[in-house]
Every structure is written in structure tokens, then in C-alpha cells.
């Protein structure tokens, strides 16, 4: 099944009189269970594309179907519902809440879904075990290494069983060997739980963990490589 289906996506930014097409006629289909990397130089449209895929921003033209939902015309409220139900996000700088321990950070998306406290705790613990942090459940972010903080963020992203995990430069703040560990975790989650992963990176060695590499140049798909 196609979890992401984009046809003829255009994203135009206007700054006063100036118009800039950050995305031009993007056609992109991603199947359930794929692991895809989006690569490209700075300014090529990677963040813009990830923002549109992640329903953080709307496209100017084109159609976008996310897990059977036509999202291009939805209101902002509906979009945040869709984000919460279907997507998990991982960022370069982890974006954990500093005063909450690992379990409480991972519970956040479930709070928005109205899951009760006992169930939240169980689900958060299960997600933390999946990312290898069984013995770091009660730690605060500042008591964890960068790699461990990113694992907490990954647990938070997967705790609600999203259709797609979206990662924006997930290893951008990590050293080489920690980056490799995070990519191995992505591979494991992708293989064992058939989680669909879409990551943006500007590093070739990180992109290569994906089964498909979509190369953007100047807002267009320039090439797709299959590993
Ligand atoms: P990348 O993530 O590959 O560096 P971006 O998606 O951030 O590329 O940007 C693509 C193009 O769109 C760039 O020319 C950038 O300057 C422009 N752009 C991005 N966001 C905005 C915005 N909010 N307003 C105006 N122009 C933007
Ligand atoms: P990165 O490529 O490191 O992810 P971006 O280039 O996407 O960072 O920039 C980060 C933020 O700045 C985004 O929210 C993007 O929309 C905004 N942005 C990028 N380029 C411009 C621009 N030319 N004008 C206004 N906002 C911009």
C-alpha cells in the first residue's frame, strides 16, 4: 500500500513581490514499510518537502494523500490531528522537554491523544525498551548522552504507532559512531516493525542507510537511487 502519494506538488514562497518555487512538480510515492532518504544541497528544498510531507506546511498546488487521507485542503486543526495520528517526528536537536524524564517525554504524544496515565506509562516503557533504553527510563535529558537523547526522541516518535517516522537530519548533532548506531536502530525498527521511515540528510553515508535515495536539486527530483 502507498502510505504517501504526492502528485505535482508545488510550493511557492512569496516575499513581497518576489516569488520562489521551493518545490516544483514533485511526484513521489512511498510504500508502507519503505526506508527513504531525501538528499540534496542546502537550499534544494529538503526541509520544505519534509514540512509538506509532515503536514507542517501546505503545498501551493498538487495533491497529497497520506495513508488514504487527502490532506492538501484540510484546515490547520485537522492537519494537527492528522500529524498526531499518523506521523512521528525526530529532529536534529532532539527537542526533549528538559524537566521531564525519559518516560514522561515519551508519553507526550499520548497525552494529546487522551490516553490514560497507566496506559501511557506502559506504552512509553515499551517504546523505550524498543530503542534500547530499558535502564534509562527515569533519567532527565541532561543526564543522557546525545545518542541516548536521540533514542528517547525516537521512542517518543514511535510510541503512538505512526504510519510514518519523519526525521530531519537525525544525526546532525551526533558524532560518527553514534550516528551509525542511530541508523542501525532505524534499520532495526524498519525491518522488525515495518515502520515507514523518511529521513532528510545532507550526508551521503547517512542517506545510504535508506533503501531509496531521492536527490533534490533546485526544488526538483533530480535522481532516485535504489540501494
Ligand atoms: P534545504 O532544506 O534543502 O536547505 P529549504 O527547503 O530550506 O532547503 O529551502 C528551499 C528554498 O526555499 C531556499 O531557496 C530557501 O531559501 C527557500 N525558503 C525556505 N523556507 C522559506 C520561507 N519560509 N520563506 C521564504 N523562502 C523560503
Ligand atoms: P535546514 O536546511 O538546516 O533544515 P532551513 O534552511 O530549512 O534549515 O531553515 C530553517 C527555517 O528557516 C525553516 O523554518 C525555513 O522555513 C526558514 N527559512 C529558510 N529559508 C528561508 C528564507 N529564505 N526566508 C525565510 N525563511 C526561511
Amino acid at each position: 500500500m502507498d502510505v504517501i502519494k504526492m502528485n505535482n506538488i508545488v510550493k511557492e514562497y512569496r516575499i513581497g513581490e518576489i516569488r520562489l518555487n521551493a518545490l516544483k512538480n514533485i511526484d513521489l510515492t512511498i510504500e508502507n514499510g519503505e526506508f527513504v532518504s531525501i538528499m540534496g544541497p542546502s537550499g534544494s528544498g529538503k526541509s520544505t518537502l519534509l514540512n509538506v510531507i509532515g503536514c507542517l506546511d501546505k503545498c501551493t498546488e498538487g495533491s497529497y494523500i497520506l495513508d488514504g487521507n487527502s490532506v492538501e485542503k484540510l484546515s490547520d486543526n485537522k492537519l494537527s490531528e492528522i500529524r498526531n495520528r499518523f506521523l512521528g517526528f525526530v529532529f536534529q536537536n532532539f527537542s526533549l522537554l528538559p524537566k521531564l524524564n525519559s518516560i514522561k517525554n515519551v508519553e507526550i504524544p499520548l497525552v494529546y491523544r487522551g490516553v490514560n496515565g497507566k496506559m501511557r506509562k506502559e506504552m512509553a516503557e515499551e517504546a523505550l525498551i524498543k530503542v534500547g533504553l530499558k535502564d534509562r527510563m527515569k533519567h532527565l535529558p541532561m543526564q543522557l548522552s546525545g545518542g541516548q537523547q536521540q533514542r528517547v526522541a525516537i521512542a517518543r516518535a514511535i510510541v503512538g504507532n505512526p504510519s510514518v517516522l519523519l526525521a530531519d537530519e537525525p544525526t546532525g548533532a551526533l558524532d560518527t559512531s553514534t550516528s551509525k548506531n542511530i541508523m542501525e536502530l532505524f534499520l532495526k525498527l524498519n525491518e522488525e516493525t515495518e515502520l515507514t521511515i523518511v529521513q532528510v540528510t545532507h550526508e551521503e553515508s547517512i542517506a545510504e542507510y535508506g533503501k531509496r535515495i531521492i536527490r533534490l536539486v533546485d526544488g526538483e527530483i533530480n535522481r532516485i537511487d535504489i540501494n
Side-chain angles (χ1 to χ4, degrees), residues 88-202:
F89 292 89
V90 173
F91 306 98
Q92 178 167 354
N93 293 318
F94 326 131
S95 57
L96 300 173
L97 294 180
K99 292 188 175 151
L100 299 185
N101 69 25
S102 303
I103 292 178
K104 291 289 178 195
N105 263 291
V106 174
E107 283 183 16
I108 294 168
L110 304 175
V111 174
Y112 286 111
R113 284 195 200 185
V115 177
N116 76 50
K118 184 165 174 284
M119 180 72 100
R120 283 205 307 266
K121 184 158 179 282
E122 277 175 28
M123 290 170 78
E125 286 173 352
E126 197 186 317
L128 284 162
I129 290 168
K130 269 192 202 156
V131 302
L133 290 181
K134 193 177 184 346
D135 54 358
R136 293 289 184 278
M137 303 256 192
K138 299 267 173 68
H139 288 59
L140 294 173
M142 63 171 287
Q143 299 171 311
L144 299 171
S145 69
Q148 289 170 337
Q149 290 184 53
Q150 192 60 303
R151 283 172 192 269
V152 175
I154 293 165
R156 181 183 56 190
I158 64 172
V159 72
N161 290 313
S163 304
V164 186
L165 174 73
L166 295 174
D168 195 354
E169 302 278 4
T171 61
L174 303 174
D175 63 44
T176 309
S177 84
T178 310
S179 299
K180 199 166 161 257
N181 292 339
I182 294 293
M183 284 301 107
E184 270 153 21
L185 174 61
F186 274 12
L187 277 179
K188 183 185 98 140
L189 293 171
N190 174 248
E191 280 161 15
E192 289 177 5
T193 67
E194 288 183 28
L195 176 68
T196 309
I197 301 177
V198 180
Q199 67 171 1
V200 159
T201 177
H202 64 276

Side-chain angles (χ1 to χ4, degrees), residues 13-15 20-23 39-51 57 168-169 200 216 218-219:
Y13 287 117
R14 292 186 192 192
I15 310 158
L20 173 117
N21 278 351
L23 298 174
M39 269 279 287
S42 183
S44 59
K46 301 184 296 296
S47 299
T48 304
L49 180 57
L50 202 73
N51 288 347
D57 203 354
D168 195 354
E169 302 278 4
V200 159
L216 289 181
D218 201 16

Side-chain angles (χ1 to χ4, degrees), residues 9-47:
I9 295 289
V10 174
K11 175 67 188 179
E12 182 189 73
Y13 287 117
R14 292 186 192 192
I15 310 158
E17 294 294 298
I18 301 164
R19 294 170 178 213
L20 173 117
N21 278 351
L23 298 174
K24 305 164 186 167
N25 304 308
I26 300 279
D27 283 320
L28 179 60
T29 301
I30 296 177
E31 276 179 37
N32 201 20
E34 270 201 88
F35 183 178
V36 173
S37 300
I38 300 171
M39 269 279 287
S42 183
S44 59
K46 301 184 296 296
S47 299

Side-chain angles (χ1 to χ4, degrees), residues 65-88:
I65 299 169
L66 171 64
D67 213 350
N69 300 276
S70 203
V71 293
E72 74 271 359
K73 299 229 160 58
L74 295 180
S75 67
D76 289 347
N77 276 344
K78 280 269 174 235
L79 280 182
S80 62
E81 256 181 65
I82 292 267
R83 273 202 302 277
N84 196 253
R85 226 173 99 204
F86 295 100
L87 302 172

